[in-house]
């Protein structure tokens, strides 16, 4: 009996290890259709989040090929393209971003890792400046509590870089009612507003501020997902079964696309939780659909 139990446990462990290896090195395509009367014409965006220097194929060629196949009009980045680690190379991130910027407009919202480089120069040395200079050379200017108007599309894209205190572990700190309007100004309700906001925990506040579509990441799908139930197991803040773990969420008419990301860092595995590449189709119609 004991031998049978050990054998079964051994098989289960091997199966989980195989799934972890498989899911940690692949990504799936997800699609969202957004329609709104303020949108003036059809357009397609590809959403990238939490790459963390991960490479799919040599120089990320597999990922780039998947993006090209979707024929996007522009790219939306929801942060953490690199990993903040002292002395760690930023070349994979910059090489990938250069390849994107040579083919598409790129709208980049910072994540907590990009932000961390700037906050702690005593830890990261000149990495923030080096990364900023690399992005400038490529032609990418991150949207740090700023926005860009895509007037021909009827869309404005904002990038929110919220304070470090909102990324505390073991809790979700309250966000002041007027905090977002202080750092972003007020959203213009006459255009469709896209907010690149890395941390999804504050989706109700983003929606209340005026974001029609919030694009987030950060949670990595909860690292592992429970089969059948589908819930993510743990958030970066070390909270179990986070409410916002991945997928599409709604607050009234506001929508949040929460990418499960493409890479890993602190917990370097994915289990029943492959990376995600999202495609968003904008149109002037009136329905919203998830595929």
């Amino acid at each position: 009996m004991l031998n049978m139990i050990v054998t079964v446990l051994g098989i289960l462990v091997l199966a989980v290890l195989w799934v972890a290896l498989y899911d940690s090195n692949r990504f799936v395509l997800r699609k969202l259709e957004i329609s709104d009367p303020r949108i003036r014409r059809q357009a397609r965006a590809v959403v990238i989040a939490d790459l963390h220097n991960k490479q799919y194929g040599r120089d990320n060629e597999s990922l780039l090929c998947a993006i090209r196949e979707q024929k996007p009009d522009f790219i939306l980045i929801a942060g953490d393209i690199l990993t903040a680690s002292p002395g760690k190379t930023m070349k994979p991130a910059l090489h990938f971003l250069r390849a994107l910027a040579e083919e598409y407009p790129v709208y980049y919202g910072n994540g907590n890792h990009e932000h961390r480089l700037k906050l702690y120069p005593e830890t990261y040395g000149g990495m923030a400046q080096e990364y900023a200079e690399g992005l400038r050379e490529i032609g990418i200017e991150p949207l740090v509590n700023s926005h860009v108007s895509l007037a021909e599309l009827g869309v404005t894209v904002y990038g929110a870089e919220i304070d470090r205190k909102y990324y505390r572990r073991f809790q979700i700190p309250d966000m002041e009612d007027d905090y977002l309007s202080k750092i972003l100004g007020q959203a213009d309700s006459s255009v469709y507003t896209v907010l690149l906001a890395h941390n999804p925990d504050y989706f109700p506040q983003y929606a209340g501020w005026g974001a029609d579509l919030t694009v987030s990441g950060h949670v990595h799908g909860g690292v592992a997902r429970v089969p059948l139930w589908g819930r993510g197991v743990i958030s970066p803040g070390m909270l179990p079964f986070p409410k916002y773990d991945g997928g599409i969420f709604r607050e009234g008419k506001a929508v949040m696309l929460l990418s499960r990301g493409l890479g890993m860092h602190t917990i370097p595995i994915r289990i029943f939780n492959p990376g995600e590449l999202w495609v968003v189709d904008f149109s002037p119609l009136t329905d919203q659909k998830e595929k």
Side-chain angles (χ1 to χ4, degrees):
M1 183 66 177
L2 179 60
N3 287 340
M4 182 179 293
I5 293 173
V6 170
T7 300
V8 170
L9 288 175
I11 291 171
L12 287 174
V13 169
L14 287 174
V16 170
L17 289 174
W18 183 89
V19 170
L21 181 63
Y22 180 55
D23 280 350
S24 299
N25 290 285
R26 71 184 182 106
F27 60 89
V28 296
L29 191 69
R30 308 283 190 205
K31 291 188 177 182
L32 173 69
E33 295 179 4
I34 291 288
S35 301
D36 190 276
R38 293 167 293 177
I39 297 173
R40 296 179 179 175
R41 64 170 178 79
Q42 290 187 337
R44 171 169 283 192
V46 162
V47 172
I48 298 165
D50 299 283
L51 187 60
H52 287 290
N53 282 326
K54 174 74 174 176
Q55 296 193 69
Y56 291 94
R58 182 179 177 87
D59 294 330
N60 256 321
E61 192 57 35
S62 295
L63 180 56
L64 288 166
C65 284
I67 292 169
R68 291 178 185 123
E69 285 175 0
Q70 298 307 310
K71 297 180 171 57
D73 296 288
F74 56 93
I75 307 295
L76 297 173
I77 293 180
D80 284 5
I81 298 303
L82 49 67
T83 297
S85 180
K88 192 175 184 70
T89 181
M90 294 178 282
K91 288 182 179 178
L94 290 171
H95 187 279
F96 174 69
L97 291 168
R98 181 183 296 277
L100 286 181
E102 286 175 351
E103 300 183 43
Y104 314 104
V106 176
Y107 305 110
Y108 191 142
N110 281 345
N112 57 306
H113 279 253
E114 289 95 347
H115 193 195
R116 194 186 302 169
L117 293 181
K118 298 185 291 182
L119 289 177
Y120 305 112
E122 68 279 7
T123 299
Y124 301 107
M127 290 179 70
Q129 182 178 350
E130 181 185 346
Y131 193 59
E133 290 174 354
L135 291 178
R136 198 172 301 118
E137 181 184 342
I138 292 167
I140 295 175
E141 186 65 36
L143 296 170
V144 180
N145 297 328
S146 60
H147 65 274
V148 59
S149 174
L150 309 183
E152 75 288 351
L153 183 58
V155 171
T156 299
V157 180
Y158 283 78
E161 185 176 83
I162 61 176
D163 194 88
R164 180 74 178 157
K165 71 180 181 180
Y166 296 112
Y167 287 94
R168 289 177 185 165
R169 290 190 171 184
F170 309 110
Q171 60 176 304
I172 301 174
D174 291 336
M175 179 177 281
E176 299 86 347
D177 291 340
D178 61 348
Y179 177 75
L180 291 172
S181 60
K182 284 181 178 178
I183 66 171
L184 294 171
Q186 192 53 54
D188 180 359
S189 61
S190 69
V191 297
Y192 191 85
T193 298
V194 176
L195 178 64
L196 305 175
H198 186 66
N199 187 345
D201 288 334
Y202 298 97
F203 176 42
Q205 288 84 348
Y206 304 148
W209 168 77
D212 297 300
L213 173 64
T214 297
V215 180
S216 295
H218 186 54
V219 184
H220 298 191
V223 180
R225 294 170 68 194
V226 180
L228 301 179
W229 188 27
R231 288 290 299 275
V233 172
I234 192 166
S235 75
M238 297 299 155
L239 297 174
F241 306 110
K243 176 181 179 180
Y244 301 119
D245 56 354
I248 302 299
F249 299 87
R250 289 179 170 83
E251 286 277 340
K253 294 183 179 180
V255 178
M256 178 169 70
L257 184 168
L258 173 52
S259 171
R260 293 182 173 91
L262 286 157
M264 304 155 284
H265 61 98
T266 304
I267 304 175
I269 57 171
R270 289 176 171 270
I271 302 174
F272 303 110
N273 179 38
E276 288 186 338
L277 184 68
W278 276 89
V279 175
V280 182
D281 285 317
F282 296 91
S283 75
L285 303 178
T286 56
D287 296 327
Q288 293 179 351
K289 301 175 184 177
E290 179 189 0
K291 292 183 179 178

